[in-house]
């Protein structure tokens, strides 16, 4: 049957309206994202003697194996109370069929650091939020590894924060976490090797955590299983 001219015009009008609505929705989504990005602003901490800044004065360290198992990256960030810093990245190739164990390569930069509070328009300005580190290159230093780092949450000592290559934790607890991971992979209780790790400040309380406890904490927090194992090992299980 021949198409009805009236039906055709209505269909065209409906398609036009649908297209306009779709375009307006898409524009609205883009506008919302743009406004969300613009709502974020930084408030500089005027003095590094403030508690929010002194809490970060520490030696932060991270170590991560590469996915292919042929290498590892390490990162060390030292924030000094006088506003200076040293930031080192290292890379080590492990033994494989094609290559022998090689000396690690490392590069270090230095300069001054600043701290900012991350704020959002419309939010309570008195509420605790994320922080952002900004790094300025010092004279005679190698290029910066990263110009900014975001410290999420209020307890980076436990949760850490992302550096240039690794997730960073206080150096002593990072060494304890690495040791716990190695012991777990070797299938040995931490107490058997406690004396072989000088300087590690990981306190072993009671029995090693079970796989069920590690799985429960991993699902509840979304953290890596090795991190959950180290936390359970340090604090004595889920009951604490």
């Amino acid at each position: 049957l021949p198409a009805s001219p009236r039906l055709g015009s209505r269909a065209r009008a409906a398609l036009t309206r649908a297209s306009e609505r779709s375009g307006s929705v898409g524009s609205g989504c883009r506008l919302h994202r743009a406004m969300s990005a613009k709502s974020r602003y930084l408030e500089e901490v005027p003095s590094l003697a403030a508690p929010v800044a002194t809490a970060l004065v520490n030696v932060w360290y991270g170590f991560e194996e590469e996915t292919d198992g042929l290498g590892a990256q390490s990162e060390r960030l030292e924030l000094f109370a006088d506003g200076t810093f040293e930031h080192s990245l290292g890379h080590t190739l492990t033994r494989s069929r094609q290559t022998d164990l090689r000396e690690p390569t490392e590069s270090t930069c230095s300069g001054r650091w600043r701290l900012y509070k991350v704020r959002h328009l419309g939010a309570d300005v008195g509420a605790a939020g994320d922080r952002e580190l900004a790094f300025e290159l010092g004279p005679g230093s190698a290029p910066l590894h990263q110009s900014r780092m975001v410290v999420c949450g209020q307890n980076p000592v436990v949760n850490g924060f992302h550096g240039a290559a690794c997730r960073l934790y206080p150096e002593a607890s990072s060494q304890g976490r690495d040791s716990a991971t190695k012991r777990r992979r070797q299938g040995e209780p931490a107490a058997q090797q406690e004396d072989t790790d000088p300087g590690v400040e990981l306190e072993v309380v009671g029995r090693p955590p079970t796989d069920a406890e590690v799985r429960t904490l991993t699902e509840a927090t979304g953290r890596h299983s090795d991190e959950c194992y180290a936390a359970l090992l340090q604090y004595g299980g889920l009951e604490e």
Side-chain angles (χ1 to χ4, degrees), residues 56-160:
L56 296 176
V57 175
N58 207 332
V59 180
W60 302 89
Y61 176 80
F63 179 88
E64 293 186 7
E65 295 180 356
E66 296 178 348
T67 55
D68 57 10
L70 300 180
Q73 296 191 45
S74 61
E75 182 173 357
R76 188 175 187 271
L77 173 65
E78 187 163 6
L79 300 177
F80 298 98
D82 63 358
T84 59
F85 76 91
E86 289 185 0
H87 188 193
S88 300
L89 289 180
H91 183 261
T92 303
L93 289 176
T94 56
R95 190 179 301 276
S96 67
R97 295 178 182 177
Q98 293 81 18
T99 179
D100 293 331
L101 183 67
R102 298 182 182 179
E103 291 295 325
T105 59
E106 184 176 282
S107 60
T108 301
C109 62
S110 59
R112 300 194 64 82
W113 64 282
R114 296 175 180 271
L115 184 65
Y116 298 84
K117 296 179 181 179
V118 179
R119 301 296 196 189
H120 295 274
L121 294 176
D124 183 1
V125 295
D130 299 338
R131 287 161 284 177
E132 185 167 303
L133 291 163
F135 303 101
E136 298 175 358
L137 191 65
S141 170
L144 291 175
H145 298 309
Q146 190 153 316
S147 61
R148 291 182 176 271
M149 295 180 188
V150 176
V151 181
C152 296
Q154 297 303 302
N155 199 355
V157 171
V158 174
N159 299 322

Side-chain angles (χ1 to χ4, degrees), residues 212-239:
E213 290 175 326
V214 173
R215 184 167 56 253
T216 299
L217 188 59
T218 300
E219 293 173 352
T221 63
R223 309 292 300 176
H224 191 278
S225 59
D226 287 340
E227 297 177 18
C228 294
Y229 182 91
L232 290 169
L233 189 67
Q234 181 174 3
Y235 295 106
L238 295 173
E239 294 79 10

Side-chain angles (χ1 to χ4, degrees), residues 138-209:
S141 170
L144 291 175
H145 298 309
Q146 190 153 316
S147 61
R148 291 182 176 271
M149 295 180 188
V150 176
V151 181
C152 296
Q154 297 303 302
N155 199 355
V157 171
V158 174
N159 299 322
F161 60 92
H162 284 294
C166 306
R167 192 166 189 87
L168 304 178
Y169 298 88
E171 189 171 42
S173 63
S174 295
Q175 292 172 349
R177 184 177 292 99
D178 292 343
S179 299
T181 300
K182 293 176 183 177
R183 287 192 289 265
R184 184 185 179 194
R185 290 173 179 170
Q186 294 168 358
E188 299 180 19
Q192 294 181 4
Q193 296 188 358
E194 190 176 12
D195 295 335
T196 65
D197 297 316
V200 173
E201 297 182 1
L202 181 66
E203 180 183 359
V204 179
V205 181
R207 58 171 178 76

